Amino acid sequence: MAFWNFNDFVDAVAEKIPEVLTDVEIEDIRIETVTKNNGIKCTGLLIVREGYNVAPNMYMEPYYSMYQATGAFDNVLNTIANDYTNAMKQAEIIDANTMHENYPEKIILKLVNTELNKDALKNSPHIEMNDLAYTFRYIVKDDSVGLASALVTYNDIDRWGLSSEELFDMAKDNTRRIFPPVIRDMREFIPDINDFPFEIDEDHELFVLTNEKGINGATSMIFTDVIDKFSQQRNNSSFYIIPSSIHEVLLIKKSEGLNIDSLADLVKEVNRFVVGEMDFLSDNLYEYDAASKEITQCTGIEKEFQANEELEP
Amino acid sequence: MTFDYDKPVNNIDLLKTYAEKVQQIETEKKDSEEQED
């Protein structure tokens, strides 16, 4: 059978979805190009429900992959309908006006790459830290399944009468409360680490800084008091910080035996070959200094990563 | 207002890669030092 191309597929979904969502009073259906994290463009289907002024972005790319793999358009359509229904359950408790009433409890931070998100940052308050930026997101719903959130814009904070700095303090407290930062041994994340063909040197153990929910965990870099406490438990060690993804960063103790140039190259190499575009955080190595209790970008790195190098399996 | 829905991620492969590569850096350095000696 002949498969639809992507645009025809999206048009077909937009046309047929009302036939599946029979119990939903649909006011409008729109197809929009949405810029996601790191400037990645996605095609979103917006199904606006009568009486609601919030709607989830239903991204069509994964559904098109599903359609390509199975050819079963009706099944994919039903999946989209189910996902939409579940997403709307998250939104039923709020509307856009509620957002402007309960924002003090609902604003959180999200750490992103500044350059790759520069277009979104033009309209959004943010606090920059070297090549990274703390953005603000409004929590629509947060539960064990995931996080529904919207980017806070300058229009929002104008309405609230807040500066970026005031918003930052509020969001930092909320982030600590809703997404408690954690530092864990790498072994806790890798169940079969004992099967590794080598032993990890005690001086170069990797620790994962993230949050208890594992979503946007690199944001926990803002909590230097947590890193400081961790440092004190390890003879006031300083650490290199590897920006592995937006969901976590890695800490490795600074020691004479560790080659910073090789480590810096490694970050670029893994980013290029392993990290998904949407999850990329930074190509730059950071460090936490136990004396100053500050995080800075590493300087004085000499060797440059060669883009044509292959990542060994 | 539109919103995005994010689910918890499982980055085990990424973490494994870093664990292996950091150890390789260490091993290469030790080998290099032994050759110099």
Side-chain angles (χ1 to χ4, degrees):
Chain A
M1 65 174 277
F3 281 81
W4 281 316
N5 65 32
F6 180 71
N7 290 335
D8 290 344
F9 169 80
V10 175
D11 288 342
V13 171
E15 184 187 333
K16 298 285 184 187
I17 199 76
E19 297 173 15
V20 185
L21 291 168
T22 50
D23 55 346
V24 176
E25 289 185 45
I26 295 172
E27 183 179 302
D28 190 18
I29 293 179
R30 295 197 298 271
I31 299 165
E32 295 184 351
T33 300
V34 181
T35 304
K36 296 265 288 173
N37 191 44
N38 292 335
I40 307 296
K41 306 275 186 201
C42 294
T43 300
L45 186 75
L46 272 180
I47 305 168
V48 182
R49 195 169 166 181
E50 193 82 44
Y52 287 77
N53 51 12
V54 293
N57 274 319
M58 306 296 294
Y59 297 110
M60 292 291 102
E61 284 78 4
Y63 297 118
Y64 185 62
S65 298
M66 211 182 292
Y67 165 68
Q68 284 182 304
T70 65
F73 178 76
D74 288 346
N75 289 347
V76 177
L77 199 62
N78 281 320
T79 301
I80 295 170
N82 286 335
D83 289 350
Y84 171 79
T85 304
N86 288 332
M88 277 308 289
K89 282 180 186 166
Q90 311 298 324
E92 280 176 354
I93 56 168
I94 75 140
D95 59 30
N97 294 324
T98 310
M99 173 184 179
H100 295 292
E101 292 167 8
N102 65 5
Y103 71 87
E105 303 291 318
K106 297 285 188 180
I107 304 298
I108 55 166
L109 296 169
K110 179 180 177 180
L111 189 62
V112 300
N113 182 283
T114 307
E115 175 64 22
L116 291 177
N117 292 280
K118 62 185 177 187
D119 288 341
L121 295 180
K122 284 177 188 167
N123 302 315
S124 308
H126 57 278
I127 304 288
E128 292 192 16
M129 180 184 78
N130 297 302
D131 68 331
L132 304 175
Y134 288 99
T135 58
F136 303 93
R137 297 194 72 85
Y138 175 84
I139 296 179
V140 176
K141 178 74 175 175
D142 166 47
D143 58 24
S144 59
V145 181
L147 169 72
S149 69
L151 185 65
V152 173
T153 65
Y154 282 119
N155 287 340
D156 295 325
I157 65 167
D158 283 348
R159 183 167 174 176
W160 301 334
L162 293 175
S163 66
S164 296
E165 288 72 21
E166 289 169 325
L167 189 70
F168 181 76
D169 291 339
M170 182 187 294
K172 186 177 173 183
D173 289 344
N174 288 338
T175 304
R176 190 193 293 272
R177 175 172 50 83
I178 302 168
F179 294 89
V182 292
I183 299 176
R184 295 201 175 116
D185 191 313
M186 173 80 89
R187 290 178 179 84
E188 294 182 38
F189 291 85
I190 304 177
D192 58 348
I193 197 161
N194 290 332
D195 298 336
F196 271 30
F198 50 75
E199 289 193 2
I200 295 178
D201 191 307
E202 190 177 327
D203 276 347
H204 299 128
E205 283 180 319
L206 285 163
F207 298 91
V208 181
L209 170 62
T210 181
N211 58 46
E212 286 187 357
K213 298 187 178 177
I215 301 175
N216 302 327
T219 308
S220 295
M221 276 175 74
I222 194 67
F223 301 116
T224 50
D225 59 310
V226 173
I227 305 175
D228 181 48
K229 188 177 174 186
F230 184 74
S231 165
Q232 287 177 26
Q233 291 166 348
R234 284 157 182 78
N235 301 318
N236 288 317
S237 299
S238 294
F239 294 93
Y240 289 119
I241 301 177
I242 296 172
S244 49
S245 83
I246 59 169
H247 298 296
E248 78 290 303
V249 297
L250 308 181
L251 306 181
I252 183 167
K253 195 165 81 174
K254 291 178 78 170
S255 66
E256 288 183 5
L258 193 62
N259 185 320
I260 183 176
D261 297 332
S262 299
L263 205 57
D265 276 357
L266 175 60
V267 172
K268 296 183 178 71
E269 185 183 349
V270 175
N271 275 336
R272 185 174 176 85
F273 294 108
V274 182
V275 180
E277 281 183 304
M278 206 103 76
D279 291 342
F280 171 81
L281 182 61
S282 171
D283 265 342
N284 294 309
L285 193 62
Y286 280 75
E287 60 186 319
Y288 172 79
D289 181 70
S292 67
K293 303 184 190 305
E294 287 181 354
I295 293 174
T296 54
Q297 193 173 311
C298 286
T299 55
I301 297 167
E302 294 175 359
K303 191 179 168 190
E304 290 292 329
F305 169 64
Q306 299 299 308
N308 59 356
E309 288 178 2
E310 290 293 329
L311 182 66
E312 294 174 15
Chain B
M1 180 178 74
T2 60
F3 62 87
D4 285 331
Y5 200 72
D6 297 309
K7 293 179 180 175
V9 295
N10 183 341
N11 268 351
I12 286 179
D13 287 343
L14 174 62
L15 298 181
K16 270 185 179 177
T17 301
Y18 268 113
E20 291 173 0
K21 292 289 175 180
V22 166
Q23 194 58 29
Q24 276 179 19
I25 290 173
E26 172 65 11
T27 304
E28 285 167 10
K29 183 168 177 60
K30 279 181 181 166
D31 290 348
S32 169
E33 285 171 353
E34 283 173 8
Q35 282 180 355
E36 285 176 12
D37 291 342

